[in-house]
Amino acid sequence: MAFSGAIVLADLNDYIAPSQACIKPVEVKVTKKDVDQPTSIKIDDTGGYYEVTQDGGETKLEKASITLNDCLACSGCITSAESVLVAMQSNEELYNVLKSNQEVLANHRTIVVSLSPQSRASLAAKYNITPLQVARRLTHFFKQLGVHHVFDTSLSRDLSLIESAREFVERYRRHQSVKPPASATPEQTDDGTVVKARRMVGRRAGRNEAVAVADGAGAAVGADLPMLASSCPGWICYAEKTHGYVLPHVSTAKSPQQVMGSIVKDYLAGRWEVRPNQIYHVSIMPCYDKKLEASRPDFYDEECATRDVDCVITTGEVDKMLEEQGANLRIMPEAELDPVFTKMILDATTSQPVLLGTPGTGSGGSLEFILSYAARELFNLPSLRTDLPPDAPTSFPGLTIRTVRNVDLREYTLELPATPDSPAVPVLQFAAAYGFRNIQNLVRKIKQGKCAYHYVEVMACPGGCVNGGGQLKPPEGSDVVSAKEWVAHVERVYRSVEGVSPEENSVVRGLYG
C-alpha cells in the first residue's frame, strides 16, 4: 500500500551517530498452529531471543544473517555493516601493507595514495593552513612512511564530470527527440584514446543488473530524465535497496574515487609495466560509505584478483595517523606534488605552484559543470558561471538560483532570453538535494511522475561532501560554535582553491585527444 501524499515523515536523522547499531532481526517461521496459539518474544540477560508460548514453553530463536549486500547505508551502518570493512580498509591495514613492503621484498607492491579535495579542506580548516600546504605536507608524511606516490583526485573528478555532462546532453536530446549535430563525435574520430578514457570513467555492469532485476529489461525506456548524480555511495545504496524504479535515472559515470582507481590500476599499471595487483591503492575520502563503494563486486577485477581501490581511509583516520606518528601538520616539512596528477599551475610572478580545483560547491561541482556544459552545447550560451554561493547574483541574466524549504534543497532555472517574437522560456531546471529528507521527497515525485527537474545532484549528507561522516569535527577552542558554522567554514576553505573548468585540464584534453 502506498503512503498518502499528506503523510510527512518526521524525526529522520541524516547524521551518523556512533552509538547507533544496525538492527539484526530474528527469523520467525509462522505456521497455522502459531496463529491459533499466539506467542510472545522475550530477551534474556545475554541478548538471546526466545519465543514463549501461552503454556510457558520457550524456544530460542536464531538471528537472521545480514551481509553488506543488505546494507541500506542508513545512519547507523557505520557501527555495524561497515564495521566489517573498517577492519579491511583502515589505517591499520595500510600500516600492515607498509610493513610487509619493508620485510618481504618478493611481495613488494607500489603504494599509491589519492587525496580528495574535501578531506584536504577539512584538514586545512582544523590546522588553519592552506589546502596547498595540506597537500604538500601529507605528501611528505606518507612518503616518509613508505608510500611511493601521492595524487589528488582532481584528474579523476574532471573526467567523471565531463562524462556525466556528455551523458546528460545525450539524455536531454533523446528526451526532447532532438538529433545531435552531424559533426563527428570523439568516438567516431578517436584512435583509441577516448575509448580507453571512457572505459576508465564508465560504470561497470553491476548497477545495470540491479535495474533489470528491479524494473525489467525495458526499464530505461522513457526514463531518461531527470538524470540523478551517481557519485554518492550512500545515496546509490539507498536507491538500489529501497527505490529500484529510480535506478534508470542514475548517471552511469563512475565516481571520482572509482575513476581514480581505474587510472591507477589500468593506465598507470601499464605505464609502470606491472600487474594491477602489484599496486596497492589507498583513497582518502570524507565519507565512510566510500568503503562500501570500493568493496562493490563491479569494481573488482577477477582476472587480476584486485580491486580498483584497495583501501579507503577517512579524513578522521588520517588525522589519527598523524597523531599516532607524532606528526604535527602545522609545522611539518613539505614535499613536491606530482605535476601530472595534481591540478595546479605555476604562478607567473613567483614561480610557485598554485593549487586548482573544480568550480562549484564542496560536493564536487557536478550540478554547476553539467548545467554550464548543457547551456553551451544545447543552447549556445557561453560563459555561464555557476560557481557562486546559493542565492548570489549570477553573471547570466537567464539563470536564477533559489533555496527551497531548507538550505539543502536548491533549484537552478535557466531561461532563454526573451525575443520580440517570444517571451523568456525556462529550458533547464536543475536541483541540488542533500540529506534523506529531501531525497525522500525527490524519489516520491519521480515515482508519481511529477518531478520537473532535468538533473538533480543528490547527496546523502546534509551540507554535502564537506560534511561527510568521516570529516573532522571543530577543534577544541575553535571560534566556530555550531556544526553548521563549521561546515560553512570548511566549505569556504574548499572554495578558496581557484576553480578551473574540467575542460581546461591539459591532462584531460590529452586523454581525449
Side-chain angles (χ1 to χ4, degrees):
M1 181 180 71
F3 286 112
S4 164
I7 294 178
V8 178
L9 298 177
D11 296 327
L12 297 175
N13 182 10
D14 291 308
Y15 296 92
I16 294 175
S19 62
Q20 297 179 355
C22 190
I23 298 172
K24 195 169 186 179
V26 295
E27 182 179 14
V28 181
K29 297 180 180 179
V30 180
T31 63
K32 186 178 185 303
K33 180 181 177 181
D34 295 327
V35 175
D36 297 335
Q37 298 181 4
T39 61
S40 60
I41 302 293
K42 82 168 188 177
I43 307 175
D44 64 13
D45 295 337
T46 64
Y49 289 79
Y50 293 84
E51 181 183 19
V52 183
T53 61
Q54 288 184 331
D55 59 9
E58 297 183 356
T59 302
K60 188 171 183 178
L61 301 173
E62 294 185 3
K63 291 184 177 180
S65 177
I66 293 179
T67 69
L68 287 173
N69 290 329
D70 301 304
C71 176
L72 296 180
C74 64
S75 61
C77 66
I78 184 176
T79 60
S80 50
E82 286 187 352
S83 64
V84 178
L85 289 176
V86 170
M88 298 168 51
Q89 303 186 35
S90 65
N91 48 357
E92 292 300 325
E93 183 64 17
L94 175 55
Y95 284 140
N96 291 337
V97 174
L98 290 166
K99 183 178 180 182
S100 175
N101 254 12
Q102 295 171 354
E103 295 178 350
V104 186
L105 295 179
N107 294 326
H108 188 275
R109 286 187 282 181
T110 301
I111 303 175
V112 176
V113 170
S114 57
L115 173 65
S116 73
Q118 293 87 359
S119 296
R120 191 174 60 200
S122 185
L123 287 162
K126 175 178 178 178
Y127 290 99
N128 196 28
I129 55 179
T130 68
L132 176 59
Q133 288 173 318
V134 170
R136 298 182 69 158
R137 292 174 189 183
L138 283 184
T139 298
H140 168 82
F141 173 72
F142 281 114
K143 288 190 174 182
Q144 287 291 106
L145 293 178
V147 170
H148 299 92
H149 303 280
V150 180
F151 306 138
D152 78 75
T153 57
S154 57
L155 171 63
S156 60
R157 181 171 301 280
D158 286 352
L159 284 167
S160 181
L161 288 177
I162 288 174
E163 284 303 314
S164 296
R166 291 183 173 185
E167 180 185 0
F168 173 78
V169 168
E170 291 169 3
R171 286 184 181 230
Y172 186 91
R173 284 174 171 151
R174 189 161 58 239
H175 187 77
Q176 301 291 334
S177 298
V178 177
K179 293 183 180 180
S183 60
T185 63
E187 294 92 335
Q188 293 170 324
T189 60
D190 180 64
D191 60 359
T193 306
V194 172
V195 174
K196 183 171 183 178
R198 288 200 161 184
R199 185 171 70 249
M200 290 191 294
V201 178
R203 184 176 289 275
R204 297 180 184 175
R207 200 182 68 245
N208 294 333
E209 294 168 0
V211 171
V213 171
D215 298 285
V221 177
D224 291 320
L225 299 179
M227 189 172 103
L228 308 176
S230 61
S231 61
C232 173
W235 143 244
I236 294 299
C237 190
Y238 172 76
E240 286 178 329
K241 303 302 181 184
T242 63
H243 298 293
Y245 58 87
V246 306
L247 295 180
H249 296 273
V250 177
S251 170
T252 59
K254 290 181 182 178
S255 72
Q257 171 178 278
Q258 297 308 132
V259 174
M260 196 69 196
S262 296
I263 291 172
V264 170
K265 293 296 182 83
D266 184 355
Y267 176 72
L268 288 180
R271 285 187 59 183
W272 295 338
E273 297 182 346
V274 298
R275 288 179 56 81
N277 58 7
Q278 293 177 288
I279 301 175
Y280 187 78
H281 181 208
V282 183
S283 180
I284 300 174
M285 287 287 150
C287 174
Y288 282 92
D289 284 332
K290 286 294 181 181
K291 298 175 186 280
L292 279 171
E293 181 181 59
S295 71
R296 292 177 67 102
D298 29 325
F299 300 134
Y300 182 79
D301 186 335
E302 293 282 355
E303 181 180 350
C304 296
T306 187
R307 298 190 183 279
D308 293 343
V309 180
D310 298 287
C311 178
V312 178
I313 56 179
T314 64
T315 315
E317 288 172 317
V318 171
D319 201 40
K320 181 181 178 182
M321 291 180 68
L322 292 167
E323 182 180 345
E324 291 171 344
Q325 298 296 321
N328 187 341
L329 206 59
R330 290 189 180 91
I331 58 174
M332 187 180 296
E334 299 181 2
E336 294 297 321
L337 302 179
D338 186 282
V340 177
F341 293 100
T342 302
K343 196 172 178 181
M344 64 180 181
I345 58 173
L346 293 179
D347 185 273
T349 304
T350 64
S351 297
Q352 294 299 311
V354 176
L355 203 61
L356 301 177
T358 302
T361 69
S363 290
S366 172
L367 181 151
E368 291 84 357
F369 176 71
I370 294 175
L371 178 55
S372 180
Y373 183 94
R376 185 190 71 214
E377 293 294 312
L378 297 171
F379 306 106
N380 296 316
L381 299 175
S383 303
L384 176 61
R385 282 196 63 198
T386 56
D387 58 332
L388 301 170
D391 301 320
T394 64
S395 61
F396 184 73
L399 177 65
T400 58
I401 307 174
R402 71 186 188 100
T403 300
V404 185
R405 288 196 299 275
N406 57 71
V407 295
D408 286 316
L409 180 60
R410 300 187 306 279
E411 291 182 345
Y412 296 67
T413 303
L414 178 66
E415 292 183 341
L416 290 181
T419 67
D421 299 324
S422 63
V425 179
V427 289
L428 290 176
Q429 290 185 291
F430 281 34
Y434 297 169
F436 282 106
R437 289 180 177 88
N438 294 319
I439 289 175
Q440 287 170 338
N441 288 329
L442 170 67
V443 296
R444 186 179 70 247
K445 287 181 179 179
I446 292 175
K447 186 174 185 179
Q448 296 172 346
K450 297 180 179 180
C451 183
Y453 304 127
H454 296 109
Y455 175 85
V456 186
E457 181 182 273
V458 189
M459 296 290 163
C461 292
C465 294
V466 293
N467 189 36
Q471 293 283 75
L472 303 177
K473 301 298 183 286
E476 293 183 7
S478 171
D479 294 335
V480 179
V481 295
S482 71
K484 287 186 178 180
E485 289 178 341
W486 177 251
V487 172
H489 176 55
V490 177
E491 177 79 24
R492 287 191 295 271
V493 173
Y494 176 93
R495 286 175 177 265
S496 69
V497 176
E498 180 183 354
V500 175
S501 172
E503 295 171 300
E504 297 177 31
N505 188 326
S506 59
V507 178
V508 171
R509 290 200 303 266
L511 281 173
Y512 279 99

